[in-house]
């Protein structure tokens, strides 16, 4: 019986003589002695014997031509790109070690080699170079070929190799898998002459493979993100079934009509099953002539999604079958102005502004409110993400159902789990008597809004993902599932793609919460909305506190427009509220600005009776004269004055206050009206 204990995954150089004797006997038709070989070596030798690998082979087959190698490298360019940085590092960290690092395709064809120059020279003698194939079928038992054969990390040392010419080498390899479907994409190998044996070489290979898989995952995430962004505009079809497929042909998202449309056409395709649609993984759609194309698939339904000249996926649109009376119903609904007015007033009426950036975001939100897809709201703190979430909820078909909000930030994992999933009585120390319903369960039939979802602890993410996938929830301490159905709207001020690549957010959860996304612009990118926002806040404050509405001076508006607003709309609202409550007059001007805003704007606001003499210096005299003359020339039109002076309008207001030119301005305007 051959040894197969856990630590036998690694080679033991002390057994080399015994293994060599076993090899001689094996080639003579004798079974290896008990415990002479590790199981993986025994199995590999038997596979080699079964396919008649030549045990006297001294080297691999000669490398393919440069043209063929270039074609192979282009075919596996994503694998090479993901391994580029690691392979480049190999030149440095393998220097003086007499070892090399090798990257291969799934067939064992070497795509690239880096490492110690002395080892590279010895490797050329056995064709351990780019363009040579090291599959087990050709070169017998070796780390590259055997790892690819069994799909596991492998260390092969000296006599354990099947072919005589390779027995001087020691090598450690593992496979590189596609992070999406687990398919083997290639192998990474660390090799050297027998004297360089190190048990840690296998750990190096495994770690390197993991880093390459991480880079591949990041690249795949970019493709999917772009694909979903491109395809979501067509997902809201009320009649057609729309399915977004990745570049391999796997469905990753379907609209609400897809399942019903497939069923109506008698198409047997389970959208919940991750079955690849044949031919959709091709560079160009094969159409009816594709040998693997399903009979139901029409080329007219297929639209390739292209980005930067490269196909990143497919949009499959299955036309819905006409239903009696449906067209009349839709057309009447579309013609009804009451529907549009009601939706705006009830859904997005709380979002204030007319800037292009904001209108585009609202239009996208309105479009998505008609669907039930998950939405990810992206934006800085204070931009109004919850207002958008409320708008999407209330403008949709479930607007009368619950809207439940929860901020994932600042809560411990245990507390957040309890808030999300609820708990039964006695589930833990301090649990509520009678138990507690969680936010997910409370949102049943409605919308769950998770703010700062990027801060959800990693250990909770698989549990929440299961809720999204299975449509059921277990309260903490319970064993009986509860069926739930809700719409998810999530929000974050983080870049979740970076969080995924850093291992802080699960890729599968990212895909579920970001079916589509809306980027909400910061206030500094829509400064033209500030006057409208200020008026909106003043109106609400007046009604809330039962105080007469206050007016706001134009120069104050100009200064507010010039502020950076790192806290966005929330900061602006707080500043307006502070000025409103702290001012007894009927209007607000520069003197009413909070000190922190004044200091950040570097506004020199002089108090009455403390104004310095005008024109105390020649430069100020010239500036005062120039501003006065420009005001008179432009007949008090401050927009033209600011333009001709080459300064911002907000700066002009500050200059007017500094030099006491308000009366001059009033006089010029008055004389202009008399004319």
């Amino acid at each position: 019986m051959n040894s197969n204990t856990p630590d036998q995954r690694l080679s033991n150089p002390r057994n080399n003589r015994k293994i060599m004797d076993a090899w001689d006997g094996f080639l003579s038709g004798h079974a290896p002695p008990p415990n002479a070989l590790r199981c993986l070596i025994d199995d590999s030798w038997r596979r080699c014997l079964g396919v008649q690998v030549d045990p006297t082979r001294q080297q691999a087959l000669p490398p393919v031509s440069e043209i063929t190698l270039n074609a192979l490298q282009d075919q596996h360019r994503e694998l090479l790109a993901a391994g580029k940085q690691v392979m480049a590092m190999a030149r440095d960290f393998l220097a003086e070690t007499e070892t090399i690092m090798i990257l291969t395709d799934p067939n064992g064809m070497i795509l690239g080699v880096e490492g110690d120059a002395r080892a590279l020279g010895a490797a050329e003698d056995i064709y351990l170079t780019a363009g040579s194939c090291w599959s087990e079928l050709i070169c017998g038992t070796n780390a590259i070929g055997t790892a690819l054969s069994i799909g596991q990390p492998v260390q092969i040392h000296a006599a354990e190799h099947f072919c005589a010419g390779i027995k001087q080498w020691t090598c450690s390899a593992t496979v590189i898998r596609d992070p999406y479907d687990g398919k083997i994409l290639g192998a990474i190998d660390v090799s050297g002459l027998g004297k360089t044996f190190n048990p840690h070489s296998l750990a190096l290979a495994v770690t390197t493979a993991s880093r390459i898989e991480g880079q591949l995952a990041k690249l795949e995430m970019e493709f999917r993100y772009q694909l979903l962004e491109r395809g979501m505009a067509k997902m809201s079809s009320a009649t057609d079934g729309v399915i977004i497929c990745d570049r391999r042909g796997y469905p990753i998202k379907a609209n609400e009509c897809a399942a019903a449309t497939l069923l109506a056409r008698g198409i047997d395709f389970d959208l919940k099953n991750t079955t690849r649609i044949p031919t959709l993984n091709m560079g160009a759609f094969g159409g009816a002539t594709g040998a693997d194309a399903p009979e139901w698939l029409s080329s007219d339904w297929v639209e390739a999604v292209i980005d930067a000249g490269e196909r990143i996926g497919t949009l499959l649109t299955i036309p819905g079958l006409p239903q009696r009376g449906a067209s009349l119903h839709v057309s009447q609904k579309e013609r009804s102005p009451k529907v549009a007015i009601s939706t705006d007033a009830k859904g997005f009426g709380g979002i204030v502004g007319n800037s292009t950036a904001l209108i585009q975001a609202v239009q996208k939100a309105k479009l998505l409110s008609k669907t039930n897809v998950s939405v990810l709201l992206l934006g800085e703190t204070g931009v109004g993400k919850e207002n958008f979430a409320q708008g999407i909820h209330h403008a949709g078909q479930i607007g009368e159902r619950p809207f439940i909000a929860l901020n994932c930030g600042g809560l411990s994992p245990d507390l957040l789990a309890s808030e999300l999933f609820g708990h039964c009585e006695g589930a833990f120390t301090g649990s509520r008597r009678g138990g507690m319903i969680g936010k997910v369960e409370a949102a049943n039939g409605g919308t769950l809004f998770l703010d700062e979802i990027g801060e959800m602890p990693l250990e909770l993410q698989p549990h929440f993902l299961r809720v999204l996938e299975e449509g059921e929830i277990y309260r903490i301490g319970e064993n009986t599932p509860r069926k739930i159905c809700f719409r998810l709207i999530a929000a974050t001020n983080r870049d979740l793609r970076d969080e995924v690549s850093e291992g802080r957010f699960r890729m599968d959860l990212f895909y579920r919460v970001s079916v589509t996304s809306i980027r909400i612009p910061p206030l500094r990118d829509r400064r033209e909305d500030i006057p409208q926002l200020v008026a909106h806040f003043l109106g609400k404050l007046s009604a809330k506190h039962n105080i007469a509405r206050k007016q706001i001076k134009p120069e104050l508006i100009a200064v507010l427009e010039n502020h950076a607003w790192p806290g966005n709309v929330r900061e602006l609202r707080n500043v307006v509220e502070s000025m409103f409550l702290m001012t007894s007059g009927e209007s607000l001007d520069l003197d009413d600005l909070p000190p922190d805003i004044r200091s950040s704007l570097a506004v020199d606001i002089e108090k009455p009776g403390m104004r310095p003499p005008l024109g105390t210096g020649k430069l100020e005299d010239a500036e005062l004269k120039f501003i006065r003359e420009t005001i008179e020339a432009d007949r008090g039109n401050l927009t033209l004055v600011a333009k001709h002076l080459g300064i911002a309008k907000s700066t002009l207001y500050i200059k007017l206050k500094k030099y006491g030119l308000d009366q001059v301005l009033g006089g010029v305007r008055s004389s202009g009206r008399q004319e």
Side-chain angles (χ1 to χ4, degrees), residues 58-61 121-129 132 134 139 165-166 169:
Q58 297 298 306
Q59 55 193 186
L61 295 176
E124 291 179 359
D125 296 337
I126 59 170
Y127 293 140
L128 192 60
T129 56
S132 291
W134 279 77
C139 296
I166 314 171
W169 287 76

mmCIF file with all atom_site columns, all heavy atoms in Angstrom, residues 58-61 121-129 132 134 139 165-166 169:
data_model
loop_
_atom_site.group_PDB
_atom_site.id
_atom_site.type_symbol
_atom_site.label_atom_id
_atom_site.label_alt_id
_atom_site.label_comp_id
_atom_site.label_asym_id
_atom_site.label_entity_id
_atom_site.label_seq_id
_atom_site.pdbx_PDB_ins_code
_atom_site.Cartn_x
_atom_site.Cartn_y
_atom_site.Cartn_z
_atom_site.occupancy
_atom_site.B_iso_or_equiv
_atom_site.pdbx_formal_charge
_atom_site.auth_seq_id
_atom_site.auth_comp_id
_atom_site.auth_asym_id
_atom_site.auth_atom_id
_atom_site.pdbx_PDB_model_num
ATOM 1   N N   . GLN A 1 58  ? 14.243 12.457 -22.986 1.00 0.00 ? 58  GLN A N   1
ATOM 2   C CA  . GLN A 1 58  ? 15.245 13.303 -22.344 1.00 0.00 ? 58  GLN A CA  1
ATOM 3   C C   . GLN A 1 58  ? 14.819 14.766 -22.220 1.00 0.00 ? 58  GLN A C   1
ATOM 4   O O   . GLN A 1 58  ? 15.397 15.510 -21.432 1.00 0.00 ? 58  GLN A O   1
ATOM 5   C CB  . GLN A 1 58  ? 16.555 13.243 -23.152 1.00 0.00 ? 58  GLN A CB  1
ATOM 6   C CG  . GLN A 1 58  ? 17.185 11.857 -23.194 1.00 0.00 ? 58  GLN A CG  1
ATOM 7   C CD  . GLN A 1 58  ? 17.577 11.377 -21.806 1.00 0.00 ? 58  GLN A CD  1
ATOM 8   O OE1 . GLN A 1 58  ? 18.310 12.063 -21.080 1.00 0.00 ? 58  GLN A OE1 1
ATOM 9   N NE2 . GLN A 1 58  ? 17.097 10.189 -21.430 1.00 0.00 ? 58  GLN A NE2 1
ATOM 10  N N   . GLN A 1 59  ? 13.819 15.141 -22.992 1.00 0.00 ? 59  GLN A N   1
ATOM 11  C CA  . GLN A 1 59  ? 13.393 16.536 -23.005 1.00 0.00 ? 59  GLN A CA  1
ATOM 12  C C   . GLN A 1 59  ? 11.984 16.621 -23.591 1.00 0.00 ? 59  GLN A C   1
ATOM 13  O O   . GLN A 1 59  ? 11.470 15.650 -24.149 1.00 0.00 ? 59  GLN A O   1
ATOM 14  C CB  . GLN A 1 59  ? 14.349 17.395 -23.849 1.00 0.00 ? 59  GLN A CB  1
ATOM 15  C CG  . GLN A 1 59  ? 14.517 16.864 -25.245 1.00 0.00 ? 59  GLN A CG  1
ATOM 16  C CD  . GLN A 1 59  ? 15.672 17.486 -26.000 1.00 0.00 ? 59  GLN A CD  1
ATOM 17  O OE1 . GLN A 1 59  ? 15.841 17.228 -27.161 1.00 0.00 ? 59  GLN A OE1 1
ATOM 18  N NE2 . GLN A 1 59  ? 16.495 18.294 -25.348 1.00 0.00 ? 59  GLN A NE2 1
ATOM 19  N N   . ALA A 1 60  ? 11.381 17.808 -23.446 1.00 0.00 ? 60  ALA A N   1
ATOM 20  C CA  . ALA A 1 60  ? 10.060 18.021 -24.043 1.00 0.00 ? 60  ALA A CA  1
ATOM 21  C C   . ALA A 1 60  ? 10.197 18.157 -25.552 1.00 0.00 ? 60  ALA A C   1
ATOM 22  O O   . ALA A 1 60  ? 11.307 18.185 -26.100 1.00 0.00 ? 60  ALA A O   1
ATOM 23  C CB  . ALA A 1 60  ? 9.418  19.277 -23.455 1.00 0.00 ? 60  ALA A CB  1
ATOM 24  N N   . LEU A 1 61  ? 9.061  18.226 -26.244 1.00 0.00 ? 61  LEU A N   1
ATOM 25  C CA  . LEU A 1 61  ? 9.091  18.478 -27.680 1.00 0.00 ? 61  LEU A CA  1
ATOM 26  C C   . LEU A 1 61  ? 9.635  19.877 -27.942 1.00 0.00 ? 61  LEU A C   1
ATOM 27  O O   . LEU A 1 61  ? 9.481  20.779 -27.106 1.00 0.00 ? 61  LEU A O   1
ATOM 28  C CB  . LEU A 1 61  ? 7.681  18.352 -28.267 1.00 0.00 ? 61  LEU A CB  1
ATOM 29  C CG  . LEU A 1 61  ? 7.044  16.954 -28.202 1.00 0.00 ? 61  LEU A CG  1
ATOM 30  C CD1 . LEU A 1 61  ? 5.613  17.013 -28.729 1.00 0.00 ? 61  LEU A CD1 1
ATOM 31  C CD2 . LEU A 1 61  ? 7.868  15.952 -28.996 1.00 0.00 ? 61  LEU A CD2 1
ATOM 32  N N   . GLY A 1 121 ? 19.254 28.859 -18.401 1.00 0.00 ? 121 GLY A N   1
ATOM 33  C CA  . GLY A 1 121 ? 20.123 28.153 -19.341 1.00 0.00 ? 121 GLY A CA  1
ATOM 34  C C   . GLY A 1 121 ? 19.939 26.653 -19.265 1.00 0.00 ? 121 GLY A C   1
ATOM 35  O O   . GLY A 1 121 ? 19.853 25.966 -20.293 1.00 0.00 ? 121 GLY A O   1
ATOM 36  N N   . ALA A 1 122 ? 19.871 26.103 -18.053 1.00 0.00 ? 122 ALA A N   1
ATOM 37  C CA  . ALA A 1 122 ? 19.673 24.664 -17.898 1.00 0.00 ? 122 ALA A CA  1
ATOM 38  C C   . ALA A 1 122 ? 18.295 24.241 -18.393 1.00 0.00 ? 122 ALA A C   1
ATOM 39  O O   . ALA A 1 122 ? 18.128 23.141 -18.934 1.00 0.00 ? 122 ALA A O   1
ATOM 40  C CB  . ALA A 1 122 ? 19.853 24.281 -16.429 1.00 0.00 ? 122 ALA A CB  1
ATOM 41  N N   . ALA A 1 123 ? 17.304 25.127 -18.222 1.00 0.00 ? 123 ALA A N   1
ATOM 42  C CA  . ALA A 1 123 ? 15.943 24.802 -18.656 1.00 0.00 ? 123 ALA A CA  1
ATOM 43  C C   . ALA A 1 123 ? 15.860 24.668 -20.168 1.00 0.00 ? 123 ALA A C   1
ATOM 44  O O   . ALA A 1 123 ? 15.082 23.858 -20.694 1.00 0.00 ? 123 ALA A O   1
ATOM 45  C CB  . ALA A 1 123 ? 14.973 25.875 -18.162 1.00 0.00 ? 123 ALA A CB  1
ATOM 46  N N   . GLU A 1 124 ? 16.660 25.458 -20.887 1.00 0.00 ? 124 GLU A N   1
ATOM 47  C CA  . GLU A 1 124 ? 16.640 25.376 -22.347 1.00 0.00 ? 124 GLU A CA  1
ATOM 48  C C   . GLU A 1 124 ? 17.099 24.003 -22.834 1.00 0.00 ? 124 GLU A C   1
ATOM 49  O O   . GLU A 1 124 ? 16.671 23.538 -23.894 1.00 0.00 ? 124 GLU A O   1
ATOM 50  C CB  . GLU A 1 124 ? 17.535 26.471 -22.940 1.00 0.00 ? 124 GLU A CB  1
ATOM 51  C CG  . GLU A 1 124 ? 16.982 27.875 -22.741 1.00 0.00 ? 124 GLU A CG  1
ATOM 52  C CD  . GLU A 1 124 ? 17.889 28.942 -23.319 1.00 0.00 ? 124 GLU A CD  1
ATOM 53  O OE1 . GLU A 1 124 ? 18.963 28.565 -23.864 1.00 0.00 ? 124 GLU A OE1 1
ATOM 54  O OE2 . GLU A 1 124 ? 17.543 30.137 -23.239 1.00 0.00 ? 124 GLU A OE2 1
ATOM 55  N N   . ASP A 1 125 ? 17.954 23.343 -22.048 1.00 0.00 ? 125 ASP A N   1
ATOM 56  C CA  . ASP A 1 125 ? 18.456 22.031 -22.464 1.00 0.00 ? 125 ASP A CA  1
ATOM 57  C C   . ASP A 1 125 ? 17.358 20.979 -22.530 1.00 0.00 ? 125 ASP A C   1
ATOM 58  O O   . ASP A 1 125 ? 17.469 20.001 -23.280 1.00 0.00 ? 125 ASP A O   1
ATOM 59  C CB  . ASP A 1 125 ? 19.563 21.555 -21.509 1.00 0.00 ? 125 ASP A CB  1
ATOM 60  C CG  . ASP A 1 125 ? 20.791 22.457 -21.561 1.00 0.00 ? 125 ASP A CG  1
ATOM 61  O OD1 . ASP A 1 125 ? 20.974 23.139 -22.592 1.00 0.00 ? 125 ASP A OD1 1
ATOM 62  O OD2 . ASP A 1 125 ? 21.554 22.493 -20.576 1.00 0.00 ? 125 ASP A OD2 1
ATOM 63  N N   . ILE A 1 126 ? 16.306 21.154 -21.730 1.00 0.00 ? 126 ILE A N   1
ATOM 64  C CA  . ILE A 1 126 ? 15.214 20.174 -21.752 1.00 0.00 ? 126 ILE A CA  1
ATOM 65  C C   . ILE A 1 126 ? 13.937 20.805 -22.335 1.00 0.00 ? 126 ILE A C   1
ATOM 66  O O   . ILE A 1 126 ? 12.848 20.266 -22.171 1.00 0.00 ? 126 ILE A O   1
ATOM 67  C CB  . ILE A 1 126 ? 14.933 19.602 -20.348 1.00 0.00 ? 126 ILE A CB  1
ATOM 68  C CG1 . ILE A 1 126 ? 14.563 20.730 -19.366 1.00 0.00 ? 126 ILE A CG1 1
ATOM 69  C CG2 . ILE A 1 126 ? 16.113 18.803 -19.830 1.00 0.00 ? 126 ILE A CG2 1
ATOM 70  C CD1 . ILE A 1 126 ? 14.050 20.214 -18.025 1.00 0.00 ? 126 ILE A CD1 1
ATOM 71  N N   . TYR A 1 127 ? 14.104 21.939 -23.011 1.00 0.00 ? 127 TYR A N   1
ATOM 72  C CA  . TYR A 1 127 ? 12.986 22.671 -23.618 1.00 0.00 ? 127 TYR A CA  1
ATOM 73  C C   . TYR A 1 127 ? 11.946 23.096 -22.576 1.00 0.00 ? 127 TYR A C   1
ATOM 74  O O   . TYR A 1 127 ? 10.749 23.092 -22.850 1.00 0.00 ? 127 TYR A O   1
ATOM 75  C CB  . TYR A 1 127 ? 12.313 21.839 -24.703 1.00 0.00 ? 127 TYR A CB  1
ATOM 76  C CG  . TYR A 1 127 ? 13.185 21.594 -25.914 1.00 0.00 ? 127 TYR A CG  1
ATOM 77  C CD1 . TYR A 1 127 ? 13.200 20.356 -26.544 1.00 0.00 ? 127 TYR A CD1 1
ATOM 78  C CD2 . TYR A 1 127 ? 13.998 22.605 -26.425 1.00 0.00 ? 127 TYR A CD2 1
ATOM 79  C CE1 . TYR A 1 127 ? 13.996 20.114 -27.656 1.00 0.00 ? 127 TYR A CE1 1
ATOM 80  C CE2 . TYR A 1 127 ? 14.805 22.369 -27.539 1.00 0.00 ? 127 TYR A CE2 1
ATOM 81  C CZ  . TYR A 1 127 ? 14.807 21.125 -28.141 1.00 0.00 ? 127 TYR A CZ  1
ATOM 82  O OH  . TYR A 1 127 ? 15.611 20.903 -29.232 1.00 0.00 ? 127 TYR A OH  1
ATOM 83  N N   . LEU A 1 128 ? 12.407 23.480 -21.399 1.00 0.00 ? 128 LEU A N   1
ATOM 84  C CA  . LEU A 1 128 ? 11.512 24.052 -20.394 1.00 0.00 ? 128 LEU A CA  1
ATOM 85  C C   . LEU A 1 128 ? 11.448 25.555 -20.650 1.00 0.00 ? 128 LEU A C   1
ATOM 86  O O   . LEU A 1 128 ? 11.856 26.378 -19.831 1.00 0.00 ? 128 LEU A O   1
ATOM 87  C CB  . LEU A 1 128 ? 12.041 23.741 -18.987 1.00 0.00 ? 128 LEU A CB  1
ATOM 88  C CG  . LEU A 1 128 ? 11.094 24.010 -17.798 1.00 0.00 ? 128 LEU A CG  1
ATOM 89  C CD1 . LEU A 1 128 ? 9.825  23.201 -17.915 1.00 0.00 ? 128 LEU A CD1 1
ATOM 90  C CD2 . LEU A 1 128 ? 11.794 23.702 -16.473 1.00 0.00 ? 128 LEU A CD2 1
ATOM 91  N N   . THR A 1 129 ? 10.945 25.890 -21.851 1.00 0.00 ? 129 THR A N   1
ATOM 92  C CA  . THR A 1 129 ? 10.960 27.264 -22.330 1.00 0.00 ? 129 THR A CA  1
ATOM 93  C C   . THR A 1 129 ? 9.616  27.609 -22.964 1.00 0.00 ? 129 THR A C   1
ATOM 94  O O   . THR A 1 129 ? 8.784  26.733 -23.222 1.00 0.00 ? 129 THR A O   1
ATOM 95  C CB  . THR A 1 129 ? 12.069 27.457 -23.384 1.00 0.00 ? 129 THR A CB  1
ATOM 96  O OG1 . THR A 1 129 ? 11.863 26.503 -24.443 1.00 0.00 ? 129 THR A OG1 1
ATOM 97  C CG2 . THR A 1 129 ? 13.438 27.236 -22.794 1.00 0.00 ? 129 THR A CG2 1
ATOM 98  N N   . SER A 1 132 ? 6.969  25.434 -25.452 1.00 0.00 ? 132 SER A N   1
ATOM 99  C CA  . SER A 1 132 ? 7.043  23.982 -25.300 1.00 0.00 ? 132 SER A CA  1
ATOM 100 C C   . SER A 1 132 ? 5.874  23.494 -24.450 1.00 0.00 ? 132 SER A C   1
ATOM 101 O O   . SER A 1 132 ? 5.430  24.182 -23.529 1.00 0.00 ? 132 SER A O   1
ATOM 102 C CB  . SER A 1 132 ? 8.365  23.566 -24.647 1.00 0.00 ? 132 SER A CB  1
ATOM 103 O OG  . SER A 1 132 ? 9.447  23.804 -25.526 1.00 0.00 ? 132 SER A OG  1
ATOM 104 N N   . TRP A 1 134 ? 4.275  20.893 -21.736 1.00 0.00 ? 134 TRP A N   1
ATOM 105 C CA  . TRP A 1 134 ? 4.678  20.018 -20.642 1.00 0.00 ? 134 TRP A CA  1
ATOM 106 C C   . TRP A 1 134 ? 3.471  19.295 -20.049 1.00 0.00 ? 134 TRP A C   1
ATOM 107 O O   . TRP A 1 134 ? 3.375  19.120 -18.832 1.00 0.00 ? 134 TRP A O   1
ATOM 108 C CB  . TRP A 1 134 ? 5.433  20.815 -19.572 1.00 0.00 ? 134 TRP A CB  1
ATOM 109 C CG  . TRP A 1 134 ? 6.870  21.000 -19.981 1.00 0.00 ? 134 TRP A CG  1
ATOM 110 C CD1 . TRP A 1 134 ? 7.348  21.867 -20.891 1.00 0.00 ? 134 TRP A CD1 1
ATOM 111 C CD2 . TRP A 1 134 ? 7.984  20.243 -19.520 1.00 0.00 ? 134 TRP A CD2 1
ATOM 112 N NE1 . TRP A 1 134 ? 8.704  21.722 -21.037 1.00 0.00 ? 134 TRP A NE1 1
ATOM 113 C CE2 . TRP A 1 134 ? 9.128  20.725 -20.189 1.00 0.00 ? 134 TRP A CE2 1
ATOM 114 C CE3 . TRP A 1 134 ? 8.144  19.216 -18.589 1.00 0.00 ? 134 TRP A CE3 1
ATOM 115 C CZ2 . TRP A 1 134 ? 10.389 20.212 -19.975 1.00 0.00 ? 134 TRP A CZ2 1
ATOM 116 C CZ3 . TRP A 1 134 ? 9.409  18.707 -18.368 1.00 0.00 ? 134 TRP A CZ3 1
ATOM 117 C CH2 . TRP A 1 134 ? 10.516 19.190 -19.060 1.00 0.00 ? 134 TRP A CH2 1
ATOM 118 N N   . CYS A 1 139 ? 5.230  14.669 -21.493 1.00 0.00 ? 139 CYS A N   1
ATOM 119 C CA  . CYS A 1 139 ? 6.431  14.646 -20.652 1.00 0.00 ? 139 CYS A CA  1
ATOM 120 C C   . CYS A 1 139 ? 6.278  13.781 -19.417 1.00 0.00 ? 139 CYS A C   1
ATOM 121 O O   . CYS A 1 139 ? 7.137  13.802 -18.526 1.00 0.00 ? 139 CYS A O   1
ATOM 122 C CB  . CYS A 1 139 ? 6.808  16.065 -20.232 1.00 0.00 ? 139 CYS A CB  1
ATOM 123 S SG  . CYS A 1 139 ? 7.282  17.113 -21.628 1.00 0.00 ? 139 CYS A SG  1
ATOM 124 N N   . GLY A 1 165 ? 15.039 11.921 -18.563 1.00 0.00 ? 165 GLY A N   1
ATOM 125 C CA  . GLY A 1 165 ? 15.775 13.164 -18.767 1.00 0.00 ? 165 GLY A CA  1
ATOM 126 C C   . GLY A 1 165 ? 15.364 14.294 -17.847 1.00 0.00 ? 165 GLY A C   1
ATOM 127 O O   . GLY A 1 165 ? 16.039 15.330 -17.794 1.00 0.00 ? 165 GLY A O   1
ATOM 128 N N   . ILE A 1 166 ? 14.274 14.120 -17.112 1.00 0.00 ? 166 ILE A N   1
ATOM 129 C CA  . ILE A 1 166 ? 13.772 15.196 -16.256 1.00 0.00 ? 166 ILE A CA  1
ATOM 130 C C   . ILE A 1 166 ? 14.051 14.907 -14.786 1.00 0.00 ? 166 ILE A C   1
ATOM 131 O O   . ILE A 1 166 ? 13.760 15.727 -13.916 1.00 0.00 ? 166 ILE A O   1
ATOM 132 C CB  . ILE A 1 166 ? 12.251 15.385 -16.486 1.00 0.00 ? 166 ILE A CB  1
ATOM 133 C CG1 . ILE A 1 166 ? 11.944 15.404 -17.985 1.00 0.00 ? 166 ILE A CG1 1
ATOM 134 C CG2 . ILE A 1 166 ? 11.734 16.669 -15.870 1.00 0.00 ? 166 ILE A CG2 1
ATOM 135 C CD1 . ILE A 1 166 ? 10.467 15.378 -18.300 1.00 0.00 ? 166 ILE A CD1 1
ATOM 136 N N   . TRP A 1 169 ? 15.514 17.328 -12.072 1.00 0.00 ? 169 TRP A N   1
ATOM 137 C CA  . TRP A 1 169 ? 14.817 18.561 -11.708 1.00 0.00 ? 169 TRP A CA  1
ATOM 138 C C   . TRP A 1 169 ? 13.876 18.360 -10.535 1.00 0.00 ? 169 TRP A C   1
ATOM 139 O O   . TRP A 1 169 ? 13.422 17.252 -10.257 1.00 0.00 ? 169 TRP A O   1
ATOM 140 C CB  . TRP A 1 169 ? 14.025 19.088 -12.910 1.00 0.00 ? 169 TRP A CB  1
ATOM 141 C CG  . TRP A 1 169 ? 14.917 19.688 -13.957 1.00 0.00 ? 169 TRP A CG  1
ATOM 142 C CD1 . TRP A 1 169 ? 15.687 19.016 -14.849 1.00 0.00 ? 169 TRP A CD1 1
ATOM 143 C CD2 . TRP A 1 169 ? 15.145 21.071 -14.178 1.00 0.00 ? 169 TRP A CD2 1
ATOM 144 N NE1 . TRP A 1 169 ? 16.400 19.885 -15.636 1.00 0.00 ? 169 TRP A NE1 1
ATOM 145 C CE2 . TRP A 1 169 ? 16.080 21.167 -15.247 1.00 0.00 ? 169 TRP A CE2 1
ATOM 146 C CE3 . TRP A 1 169 ? 14.670 22.242 -13.605 1.00 0.00 ? 169 TRP A CE3 1
ATOM 147 C CZ2 . TRP A 1 169 ? 16.534 22.392 -15.731 1.00 0.00 ? 169 TRP A CZ2 1
ATOM 148 C CZ3 . TRP A 1 169 ? 15.112 23.458 -14.094 1.00 0.00 ? 169 TRP A CZ3 1
ATOM 149 C CH2 . TRP A 1 169 ? 16.039 23.534 -15.144 1.00 0.00 ? 169 TRP A CH2 1
#
